[in-house]
Amino acid sequence: MAMTTINHEIKSSNISAQKMFKAVVQESNTTYTTVFPQLIKTIETIQGDGGPETILRFYFIDSVTTELMSLEIKVDVADPLNLYAKYTMTDTNDEVVVNELKFEEEGQGCVCKLTTHYIKQDDEIHSGAERALRVYKKVLEYLSANPHICA
């Protein structure tokens, strides 16, 4: 096992940092089940209210993957004043990924700085990084197409 850190930036020209933080961190249950109905069956709150120490369990649609039936996410930090979040994901194979998100205003939009710490087999790291980027890009597309969401 290895630990690898990968940094990415995702930019939007029309979604504010506050709105993106709200969609991805504060209202993730609603956002992800709406944006990814073909992937996520349900999201269960195991404990907490969305702040630190909250634990969420994502259940995936059976036909999507036979390897990963659920994913547990523990919110380590959710700071709406600084638009920063950190959470730890553990999948059914007990592999661990720690994501740090920082949203910053940029012009009429925002930049999402994503730092991901992978504790996995080396060959799985880059495919995981690409999946994480696709998730945030899809959320940006959804918010652009639905400006009333998380307003």
Side-chain angles (χ1 to χ4, degrees):
M1 294 279 216
M3 181 164 140
T4 301
T5 298
I6 299 176
N7 294 297
H8 290 287
E9 285 190 3
I10 305 164
K11 295 183 179 191
S12 168
S13 61
N14 64 337
I15 304 297
S16 73
Q18 185 72 37
K19 185 172 188 172
M20 191 63 178
F21 181 86
K22 185 175 181 181
V24 171
V25 178
Q26 295 173 316
E27 297 184 13
S28 60
N29 289 21
T30 304
T31 302
Y32 291 137
T33 54
T34 302
V35 175
F36 301 102
Q38 73 286 359
L39 175 64
I40 299 172
K41 188 186 311 183
T42 59
I43 300 174
E44 176 186 6
T45 301
I46 305 299
Q47 75 177 37
D49 59 2
E53 303 301 316
T54 295
I55 298 175
L56 304 171
R57 184 166 294 133
F58 286 58
Y59 292 96
F60 299 104
I61 294 175
D62 298 340
S63 62
V64 173
T65 177
T66 56
E67 298 170 9
L68 186 63
M69 302 308 288
S70 68
L71 176 70
E72 192 168 284
I73 295 178
K74 178 180 173 264
V75 177
D76 301 310
V77 178
D79 182 351
L81 294 177
N82 293 302
L83 303 177
Y84 172 80
K86 180 179 178 183
Y87 56 91
T88 302
M89 300 185 302
T90 307
D91 67 22
T92 49
N93 299 321
D94 291 326
E95 293 179 339
V96 177
V97 177
V98 177
N99 279 323
E100 294 182 68
L101 296 165
K102 175 70 176 142
F103 300 93
E104 297 175 355
E105 298 295 339
E106 184 174 276
Q108 297 295 314
C110 73
V111 60
C112 170
K113 295 181 179 182
L114 170 64
T115 301
T116 306
H117 308 280
Y118 292 92
I119 304 167
K120 293 184 160 199
Q121 297 296 330
D122 289 333
D123 59 341
E124 298 173 355
I125 289 172
H126 293 289
S127 65
E130 291 303 315
R131 277 193 304 274
L133 280 176
R134 284 194 304 267
V135 166
Y136 297 115
K137 287 178 181 177
K138 188 79 170 169
V139 171
L140 282 171
E141 289 172 14
Y142 172 73
L143 292 173
S144 291
N146 300 280
H148 60 284
I149 302 295
C150 295

